[in-house]
Each structure stands twice: as structure tokens, then as C-alpha cells.
Amino acid sequence: MSKFLIVVDNFKVGGITTSLINFSNFLTLNGYEVEIICFESEERPQGLASSVKIKGLNRGQEIWYLNKNNMKHKKHMNLFKILILGLIKKIFNKGELWSKLCLKQNKTNPYDCAIAYRQGRTCYQYVKYAVNATCKVAFVHGELKNLNSIMKWYFLWDSFDKIACVSQAVKQQLIERFSRYQKKYVVMPNLFDVNELYKLANKKNIAPYKSFTFISVNRMEYDKGADRIIEIYDYIKKNCNVSFNWLIIGSGTLYNEIKSQIKEKDLVLLGEKRNPFPYIKNSDCFVSMSRSEAFGMAIKEAQLLGVPAIVGAYPAAREIIVDGITGKIVANDSKSIAEEMIEFLENSQVIERYKNNLLKEEYNPKVIIDKFVEECIGEKNYE
């Protein structure tokens, strides 16, 4: 049985942690042994398979990481010691010197594959210096234009065998910018547990909406298009007489500003919901206003629940939506999104066709993950 190590800095709630849980679970379901090293917590995140082992840093590695979130729970680290070590780290934390001094590779019990699951210097350096593995993989979860710090850590890819991109679009962006790693790039999209999605979607009974219902699930931030909400809503109300509801789930820096502008009852900000799936499943159409996505997890989750999407175009959108068949990709601006929402409101046949086509789509995460494993360690586990 091949043995995998996955390295992350934390289990904070968010898309990467959700993706990590699904990725780990499917590895175990496919017969692989999985361990996770988490720098800041050994507490098992909800939904992670019990067969996945979780470990923290040893004492020497804690000194290397030296993070206040990690240290405050360690009784053996008093404040004076933390201050002294912090000063030493500040002096030596130039380039990779601190990692070379603190991280020692365990030469026994090598892993078949070690994965730095969160992109960036910290997880990459840990896998490079502290882990003994036949194959080392660095994940990239973001679009290149949003990786503002990439020039500080991309060179660490020299020490990795594979660079896993969450979409073909991200892979292509990296090929164009960092072509010398072209042979290392592989695609490993976010995975989804359909049974778990439906289980969560059925946990809460939502009363049927009287009108056609749109739903959006995103952070209330500029890059996710939250600033467009009022403009899109006003355009629809001005140009369409069909009644509708628009539910928006999420929180962020623009939340209060947008909430203060809402005067109608059919535009509803629900705030952050730990389980948004009952609301998604009970809606007619998912709307993505995001200016940028490396993949588009919320869109795919909606599709797997049978809800078609209207999406402002971004590079990876066509890896999720078959345009005009399972949903609609439009120009990424407020007017184009609003006009397509009107099209859905005024033409019920369109939405029904998309829903029927989604029912015919097959989704097999086992094939996806086994292909990834074969690309990384050469082990074939599928027909």
C-alpha cells in the first residue's frame, strides 16, 4: 500500500481545507495510506476520514515554525524562550538558512509521496527539508495573477518532482510564466463527495420559494464581484417584470456596505452559513460574479446538486461548465450577468434543459485521483 504525507499549516475553514478533506478521503477510499502533518493543530477537522492519521510538529520543528498560534498552547515554551527564539529566527530567516538549520530529514520510513498542499514558502520548505519521500508534490491553488508573493517561493519547485495545479487553466498560466517546469506540471482539480453533499443538503428543510430563486455563495469581496450585486439587481428590476428572489451567502469586508443599500425583500443577504447546501439545492440557478477563480468549487457543488449556473467568464470556467449545455458562461461584467439572469427568468425551457443535462453528467473522483497518483508515483490503480 502506497503511503502519502500531506502537509498543511492549518485547518481553517475555507475552500482549501474542504478540498484537502475530500482529497485525503478519496485517497484512503482508493486504498492508499494517508498521514497529515498540520503545523498549528492536531484537532481532526469535521468530515475527515478516521483512517487518516494527523500529526503535529516535533519540538525542533516548532522552533522552526515559531508561530504564535502554535506556541500559545505549548507549555514547554515560556514567553522568554519564545522572544529569544523569535530574535534568532529574525536574524537567520534569510532565504532558506533557517529551514536548513532547524529541519532535519527523517531517513527512516520514507513516504511514497509527500504533498505540500498549501502553496507557499512554509509548506514547500517543510517538505523539501524535513520529509523523506520518493516523490514530492507542490500544490498551486490560485490563479497566477492573484499569487502576489510567488516570486518569493516559486524557485522551491526545483526540489519537487511534480507541481499540481487545480485546473488546466492554472497549469497553462504557469507554463507561460515558468516554462522551465513544464514537465513537472500536472492537473489535480478539487474533488467532491456527492453523497456527502446531498447528506448536507438534506440536513435542513427549506420552505419552497414562491418565485424563481437565484443563489450566490461567495466572500463579500471585490475579487469575488460582491460590489456588483446592487448594480445587477437594479438592472434586472428595471428590465424584467418577472418576480424572483436572490439569496446571497457569504461574509466579508463589503457585507455591511451592500446590506445598507438593500431596500427590497427579494434580495437577501444570509451572511455566512457553515452549511449552504440546503439553500443551493432549493434554488433554481447559481450565479457567480467572481472576477477570478482558479477552479470554482461553489459552482461545481451547485452543479452536483442539480443546479445550473450563470458564470462570468474566467479561464477555468469551461472546465466546469459546458456552455449552453449545462449552464451559461457570459462576459465577466455586471450587464452581461444581469441579462443572462433575465433570460433564465423569461425562458423556463432554458433552465429545465440545463437541469436535465446536469442529471446526465457523470462524476467519478476515483478516476481523477488514480490518474494523479499514476502521474506522481507511477502506480496504476484504475482500468
Side-chain angles (χ1 to χ4, degrees):
M1 179 189 296
S2 295
K3 189 175 181 180
F4 284 75
L5 175 69
I6 302 172
V7 176
V8 291
D9 51 355
N10 61 65
F11 290 136
K12 290 179 181 177
V13 175
I16 291 180
T17 296
T18 300
S19 175
L20 164 70
I21 291 168
N22 290 334
F23 179 69
S24 303
N25 289 351
F26 281 116
L27 277 173
T28 61
L29 284 172
N30 288 16
Y32 304 109
E33 184 179 346
V34 180
E35 288 183 9
I36 296 176
I37 286 182
C38 182
F39 300 161
E40 295 182 14
S41 173
E42 294 179 48
E43 185 175 337
R44 183 174 297 274
Q46 186 176 354
L48 183 67
S50 59
S51 57
V52 177
K53 301 174 184 176
I54 300 177
K55 300 193 298 185
L57 300 173
N58 62 37
R59 290 196 178 188
Q61 293 167 352
E62 285 176 356
I63 293 172
W64 163 77
Y65 189 55
L66 205 62
N67 179 286
K68 62 181 181 181
N69 294 325
N70 195 46
M71 291 299 181
K72 62 185 178 182
H73 301 298
K74 306 298 181 181
K75 295 180 180 179
H76 61 276
M77 299 293 283
N78 59 48
L79 180 60
F80 178 74
K81 185 182 288 188
I82 290 173
L83 290 173
I84 294 298
L85 289 172
L87 180 61
I88 296 172
K89 179 177 180 179
K90 189 173 182 179
I91 295 170
F92 287 98
N93 197 24
K94 307 292 184 183
E96 298 180 69
L97 181 57
W98 184 247
S99 294
K100 290 177 181 178
L101 290 171
C102 296
L103 297 177
K104 304 300 178 185
Q105 190 176 104
N106 183 356
K107 299 297 183 181
T108 61
N109 300 319
Y111 295 93
D112 295 286
C113 185
I115 299 169
Y117 201 76
R118 282 193 186 269
Q119 67 205 15
R121 181 179 172 186
T122 309
C123 289
Y124 287 178
Q125 285 188 341
Y126 184 90
V127 171
K128 176 180 178 179
Y129 289 107
V131 180
N132 181 14
T134 304
C135 176
K136 295 186 177 183
V137 181
F139 257 78
V140 179
H141 292 274
E143 279 196 279
L144 183 58
K145 66 179 181 180
N146 294 326
L147 300 178
N148 298 323
S149 63
I150 192 169
M151 299 308 293
K152 297 179 180 179
W153 44 258
Y154 83 91
F155 58 87
L156 290 165
W157 292 340
D158 289 339
S159 302
F160 286 81
D161 302 285
K162 298 293 180 182
I163 302 161
C165 311
V166 294
S167 66
Q168 188 66 41
V170 170
K171 177 183 175 181
Q172 188 57 42
Q173 291 167 10
L174 294 180
I175 288 173
E176 292 172 4
R177 180 64 180 84
F178 303 104
S179 59
R180 68 185 171 115
Y181 300 109
Q182 183 166 350
K183 292 183 178 180
K184 294 187 177 186
Y185 297 129
V186 296
V187 176
M188 181 60 235
N190 296 311
L191 298 176
F192 304 89
D193 185 335
V194 180
N195 291 331
E196 184 64 21
L197 278 178
Y198 271 94
K199 188 186 299 182
L200 290 169
N202 293 326
K203 264 192 172 183
K204 182 176 181 179
N205 291 322
I206 305 293
Y209 308 119
K210 295 180 180 179
S211 303
F212 188 100
T213 301
F214 296 106
I215 189 164
S216 299
V217 181
N218 54 260
R219 297 195 316 275
M220 301 296 279
E221 305 290 349
Y222 176 83
D223 64 318
K224 297 301 180 182
D227 59 301
R228 298 170 167 176
I229 292 170
I230 301 300
E231 184 180 4
I232 292 172
Y233 175 82
D234 287 345
Y235 186 94
I236 297 172
K237 297 296 282 189
K238 182 179 179 180
N239 294 280
C240 179
N241 294 321
V242 181
S243 62
F244 68 96
N245 296 305
W246 188 6
L247 310 179
I248 299 173
I249 295 176
S251 61
T253 57
L254 296 178
Y255 181 86
N256 290 332
E257 178 185 337
I258 294 166
K259 187 176 182 179
S260 67
Q261 299 177 57
I262 295 176
K263 298 179 176 61
E264 305 294 335
K265 292 183 179 180
D266 49 12
L267 177 58
V268 184
L269 298 190
L270 294 173
E272 192 167 326
K273 296 288 183 183
R274 193 170 186 88
N275 179 12
F277 303 114
Y279 299 91
I280 296 174
K281 182 173 176 286
N282 207 38
S283 298
D284 296 292
C285 175
F286 187 96
V287 178
S288 171
M289 303 162 286
S290 183
R291 291 180 169 87
S292 174
E293 293 285 353
F295 180 71
M297 289 183 67
I299 299 166
K300 186 64 180 179
E301 287 166 339
Q303 285 190 317
L304 291 170
L305 289 171
V307 179
I310 296 170
V311 176
Y314 63 91
R318 294 184 185 277
E319 298 176 45
I320 301 175
I321 293 175
V322 183
D323 189 28
I325 304 296
T326 60
K328 191 63 183 174
I329 302 171
V330 300
N332 204 326
D333 60 73
S334 298
K335 183 179 178 182
S336 298
I337 294 170
E339 287 180 342
E340 192 60 35
M341 291 170 74
I342 292 173
E343 174 67 16
F344 273 49
L345 287 171
E346 295 181 341
N347 190 345
S348 60
Q349 292 180 341
V350 171
I351 193 80
E352 289 306 316
R353 185 174 75 248
Y354 291 157
K355 287 182 177 180
N356 289 334
N357 289 336
L358 282 173
L359 291 174
K360 299 173 186 175
E361 276 202 329
E362 293 185 3
Y363 179 70
N364 191 338
K366 174 176 169 45
V367 172
I368 297 171
I369 206 161
D370 279 337
K371 184 175 185 294
F372 169 75
V373 170
E374 183 184 4
E375 288 180 309
C376 291
I377 62 175
E379 182 172 317
K380 189 172 181 179
N381 193 30
Y382 63 93
E383 297 179 359

